[in-house]
Amino acid sequence: MGNLKNNASPASVYAPDAAAIIKEAQRELGSPARRLFGRRMLSLGGLMLLSGCELKSGNAVETLLRRVSRLNDEAQALLFDPHTLAPTYPESMITRPFPFNAYYDIDQVPEVDAETYRLKLTGRVKGKSVWSLAELGALPQRSQVTRHICIEGWSAIGKWGGVPFSYFLSRAEADTAAKYVAFHCADGYWTSIDMPTALHPQTLLTLTWDGNTLPAKYGFPMKLRIPTKLGYKNPKHIVAITVTNEFPGGYWENQGYNWFGGS
Ligand SMILES: Nc1nc2c(c(=O)[nH]1)N[C@H]1C(S)=C(S)[C@@H](COP(=O)(O)O)O[C@H]1N2
Ligand SMILES: [Mo]
C-alpha cells in the first residue's frame, strides 16, 4: 500500500482528516484490487480523476470509497473461480485452542436451545422452509480442515463438518439463479454472499467443530463455513436464511468492510 501513503498529500488538501481517509482507502482497496490493478495502487488523486469526484468533504470521500468498494465486489466476483479450492490441511495443524471472535465478548455468546431451534428459509425457496437440527443432521455430512482468516489480522486452522450448502439449497428447492443468500443470526449479526460462493463445493452448513457438536462460542447450532471468504462472511448461530435478488448487505459490510470479502 506504499503508494497510497506516499500520495497522502492530495487528500489533505481536500479533506480535513486525511489520515482516517487514507486508512479507510487502504482497507477498502484490499488485496483483490491490488491483484486487479497489478502493483500500481490507485492514489486518492487517481480515484478523483477516475470518478470525476471532488473530495471536498468526508461524506463525498465515503460515497466515493463505497463506490470503489462495490467496484471491487464486481472485480472479485469476476475473478472468483467456482472450481478453485481453498487449501486444506492435515488435522495435526488444527489451531488449539481455536480463537473466538464476535462483535461482543465471549460471555455474551447467545444460547440457542437445540430442542426448540428451527432454521427458517425465506425468499426464493419453493421447498421445505423450516428445519430442525435432527433433520439437518440427517442430511449427508462432510468435513474439511481449512484456514479461517479474520480481517483483524489473525488466522487459524479448524475442522468443520456439516452439509454441503449447495446440496442443502437444492434439497430446499432454492432458486440458485438468484443473486444473493443472506444469513440472520441469533445474536443479531447478519451477512450475505453471492450465489456462486453459496454453491462452491467447500461451502458447508456446519454443525460440528473438531468432530463434536459446534460449541456455543463457535456458533452453535450452526456456522456457514466458507473457506474462500474472510471470517466476517462466515455467520455463526444462523437462525434464518433468505434467498434473494435484493442486495442484503451485512453487519460489518454496512460499516465499510468490503462486501465480497474474498480471502
Ligand atoms: N453471528 C455471528 N457470526 C459471526 C460473527 C459475529 O459477531 N456474530 N463474527 C464474524 C467474525 S468477524 C469472525 S472472525 C468469525 C469468528 O469465528 P470464531 O469465533 O469461530 O473464531 O465469526 C464471524 N461470524
Ligand atoms: Mo473476523
Side-chain angles (χ1 to χ4, degrees), residues 98-179:
F98 191 84
F100 159 83
N101 194 32
Y103 68 92
Y104 42 78
D105 288 338
I106 196 160
D107 56 356
Q108 310 278 306
V109 166
E111 277 176 44
V112 176
D113 178 52
E115 294 304 314
T116 56
Y117 172 83
R118 297 291 181 271
L119 173 67
K120 298 198 174 70
L121 295 189
T122 61
R124 306 182 64 84
V125 174
K126 280 192 288 196
K128 185 173 164 58
S129 60
V130 181
W131 294 76
S132 70
L133 277 181
E135 288 167 333
L136 292 167
L139 297 177
Q141 313 281 312
R142 261 193 35 209
S143 74
Q144 65 200 8
V145 180
T146 54
R147 185 184 292 276
H148 173 116
I149 302 167
C150 175
I151 198 167
E152 289 169 47
W154 56 270
S155 79
I157 294 173
K159 179 182 169 185
W160 290 269
V163 188
F165 194 50
S166 64
Y167 176 84
F168 177 72
L169 288 177
S170 70
R171 274 294 296 268
E173 293 173 64
D175 174 11
T176 52
K179 282 191 184 160

Side-chain angles (χ1 to χ4, degrees), residues 161-233:
V163 188
F165 194 50
S166 64
Y167 176 84
F168 177 72
L169 288 177
S170 70
R171 274 294 296 268
E173 293 173 64
D175 174 11
T176 52
K179 282 191 184 160
Y180 309 108
V181 185
F183 302 88
H184 316 276
C185 308
D187 55 3
Y189 191 80
W190 87 102
T191 186
S192 56
I193 58 172
D194 53 296
M195 188 60 78
T197 297
L199 300 176
H200 186 277
Q202 289 175 311
T203 301
L204 301 182
L205 195 57
T206 64
L207 304 167
T208 68
W209 192 87
D210 202 16
N212 300 307
T213 302
L214 199 67
K217 59 186 172 183
Y218 303 145
F220 182 82
M222 174 189 318
K223 172 177 185 166
L224 190 77
R225 180 60 198 131
I226 317 176
T228 55
K229 285 213 191 286
L230 292 169
Y232 62 90
K233 308 295 297 184

Side-chain angles (χ1 to χ4, degrees), residues 32-33 38 44 47 50 53 87 96 116 123 134 146 167 197 232 234 236 259:
L44 279 171
L47 285 176
L50 258 187
C53 268
R96 302 174 196 281
T116 56
T146 54
Y167 176 84
T197 297
Y232 62 90
N234 289 239
K236 306 191 284 187
W259 179 78

